[in-house]
Amino acid sequence: MAGERVLRLADAINETCPWSGKPIADGSLTLYKGAVVGFCNPGCRDQFEKAILDFEAALNRQATDG
């Protein structure tokens, strides 16, 4: 895991989960465009990460299909 960034609750740009509105929790953080984003639980974090991947795939398809 050398070179992998450790995500800290204190570095999060938000205090409440964007999905639920509940307070963010340690162990439920992700990195998005260089910023640490917090969620109330790993499920919300995973939902966010999947949404990003789906959105980026749709943009790539649009760019490819014209």
Side-chain angles (χ1 to χ4, degrees):
M1 287 198 211
E4 196 171 303
R5 181 174 173 183
V6 176
L7 303 182
R8 299 178 330 135
L9 197 59
D11 295 331
I13 60 168
N14 59 314
E15 295 180 1
T16 58
C17 177
W19 294 117
S20 71
K22 296 177 183 176
I24 63 172
D26 201 19
S28 300
L29 306 170
T30 194
L31 197 58
Y32 179 66
K33 295 190 176 189
V36 177
V37 181
F39 298 87
C40 64
N41 63 60
C44 284
R45 179 203 56 215
D46 295 349
Q47 180 181 358
F48 176 78
E49 290 175 346
K50 182 179 180 325
I52 291 168
L53 292 175
D54 290 345
F55 183 69
E56 289 175 352
L59 288 174
N60 288 334
R61 280 192 305 275
Q62 183 181 17
T64 303
D65 295 342

